[in-house]
Amino acid sequence: MRVGVLTGGGDCPGLNAVIRGIVRKGVQEYGYDFVGFRDGWRGPLEGDTVPLDIPAVRGILPRGGTILGSSRTNPLGAEDGIRRIKDNLAKQEVGALIAIGGEDTLGVAARLSGEYGIPCVGVPKTIDNDLSATDYTFGFDTAVNIATEAIDRLHTTAESHMRVLVVEVMGRHAGWIALHSGLAGGANAILIPEQRFDLDQVCAWVESRFKIRYAPIVVVAEGAMPRDGDLVLKDGSQDSFGHVRLSGIGEWLAKEIESRTGKEARTTVLGHVQRGGTPSAFDRWLATRFGLHAIEAVRDGDFGAMVALRGTDIVRVPIADATTKLKTVDPALYAEAGVFFG
């Protein structure tokens, strides 16, 4: 059998480890051939491929990003998208397709497998950790470590100048990165999309820190919203899946804190730094295991399934279970962190 592999959506530390696990086990144990599709769903849509064999995956375990490239292409919105994908898979003699991605990429895989008979297996990927049906997604641990290190560094400069530092991290709909990095980094306020925040309360937390001669750190997810406001957008543009570009909540928050408290405030936007660089040991471990189990699912003909982490076990679940509903921060979990606010 020839198996196709693609990586879609935002890049993520650990993608190359998945590809390596798939190819090594698929070639060595099952005798499969592989072809990589470039730039997410654009690859099978346009027939853009790259050779994928054991020499191609040597040395890629510690590399960030993806050797296959990625994009946010939505083939379901393209003219004759389904027919073009089927034709290109047939032309490449691909008998199964492994899609590595987040909510949008896997949503396409679920429909292609369930409605159009294209044999797909899913591998969950997102630094936001917001996919249901899996305890963790690879990339999340690396992003949290990067954000935590940044917060640690910002504490020293904040204390030197006795100013407020607002750290904006990724998290469109879910505040997992903000919660984990904020708690690990000793933030004095953590603002997440799941809980609209009271600006007066945030300012009160800030002022309480200054009273005891400590400079406050506020961690805010990009999708967080004030109680009486809306999302802060970079512009009105949307990607092919209908997502608007988020940016600016950190800068807006810093200006509001400064004007209301009279304390100098600065913003650090971590942005794509959280996606880049070498993956953590945990993400390499998880991504590799996902790859090994994904090719097993192909071998078993278990199409329409996604590999997932449950405890320390890798299991299979329907792809739809991971894409129907996002995994968001439980209010009780967020309340635990509230002990350290202010």
Side-chain angles (χ1 to χ4, degrees):
M1 184 193 298
R2 171 171 282 187
V3 180
V5 182
L6 65 84
T7 55
D11 65 299
C12 177
L15 284 168
N16 288 323
V18 181
I19 298 168
R20 173 177 173 270
I22 290 169
V23 173
R24 286 288 297 270
K25 185 164 187 173
V27 172
Q28 292 173 192
E29 296 195 11
Y30 306 142
Y32 292 160
D33 292 325
F34 290 89
V35 60
F37 287 99
R38 293 184 185 273
D39 304 334
W41 287 111
R42 188 189 67 79
L45 192 64
E46 300 180 4
D48 190 359
T49 63
V50 59
L52 204 55
D53 53 18
I54 287 182
V57 300
R58 288 198 180 111
I60 68 172
L61 177 63
R63 286 175 56 183
T66 164
I67 62 170
L68 297 180
S70 191
S71 74
R72 298 189 185 278
T73 302
N74 182 1
L76 301 179
E79 184 176 355
D80 290 331
I82 304 302
R83 179 191 59 79
R84 290 162 60 187
I85 287 176
K86 285 185 173 181
D87 288 349
N88 285 321
L89 292 180
K91 190 179 301 182
Q92 292 290 333
E93 300 180 331
V94 170
L97 185 62
I98 299 177
I100 312 167
E103 174 194 10
D104 296 323
T105 301
L106 294 180
V108 171
R111 290 194 59 187
L112 292 182
S113 184
E115 299 177 28
Y116 301 103
I118 297 176
C120 295
V121 168
V123 176
K125 171 247 34 157
T126 169
I127 66 169
D128 289 341
N129 198 42
D130 59 0
L131 284 177
S132 297
T134 184
D135 290 348
Y136 286 99
T137 52
F138 65 88
F140 172 67
D141 184 68
T142 303
V144 169
N145 286 336
I146 291 169
T148 301
E149 181 182 356
I151 295 167
D152 287 345
R153 292 175 179 273
L154 290 170
H155 270 293
T156 59
T157 186
E159 291 165 4
S160 297
H161 295 275
M162 288 305 292
R163 60 168 58 126
V164 185
L165 280 181
V166 178
V167 185
E168 181 182 315
V169 300
M170 285 186 168
R172 176 180 293 270
H173 301 296
W176 293 108
I177 294 176
L179 180 65
H180 281 240
S181 64
L183 194 59
N188 309 118
I190 302 170
L191 311 178
I192 62 176
E194 294 88 340
Q195 302 273 345
R196 284 181 175 261
F197 61 87
D198 183 336
L199 189 54
D200 290 334
Q201 178 63 75
V202 174
C203 291
W205 287 331
V206 165
E207 290 178 320
S208 72
R209 297 299 290 178
F210 280 110
K211 288 178 182 177
I212 55 173
R213 299 291 300 168
Y214 277 96
I217 300 284
V218 178
V219 175
V220 57
E222 62 185 348
M225 291 182 286
R227 184 172 295 170
D228 301 317
D230 297 310
L231 280 172
V232 178
L233 307 179
K234 186 176 183 65
D235 52 46
S237 62
Q238 298 182 354
D239 64 20
S240 61
F241 288 96
H243 300 308
V244 294
R245 298 175 66 190
L246 300 182
S247 179
I249 183 62
E251 191 66 34
W252 176 87
L253 185 60
K255 289 179 180 178
E256 288 293 325
I257 290 173
E258 187 167 305
S259 66
R260 289 171 180 245
T261 66
K263 305 296 184 181
E264 189 178 5
R266 293 290 185 270
T267 307
T268 297
V269 181
L270 296 184
H272 288 79
V273 170
Q274 296 157 91
R275 291 190 182 280
T278 186
S280 68
F282 178 83
D283 281 340
R284 298 184 201 189
W285 172 84
L286 179 58
T288 297
R289 293 189 70 203
F290 275 166
L292 298 175
H293 284 261
I295 197 62
E296 282 185 5
V298 170
R299 189 272 315 267
D300 294 342
D302 195 0
F303 301 119
M306 182 193 84
V307 292
L309 180 68
R310 296 283 177 83
T312 58
D313 296 328
I314 305 296
V315 300
R316 298 177 196 166
V317 298
I319 299 177
D321 286 358
T323 59
T324 303
K325 181 181 178 182
L326 288 177
K327 180 179 66 180
T328 54
V329 175
D330 187 282
L333 194 59
Y334 182 63
E336 291 179 359
V339 171
F340 303 100
F341 295 175

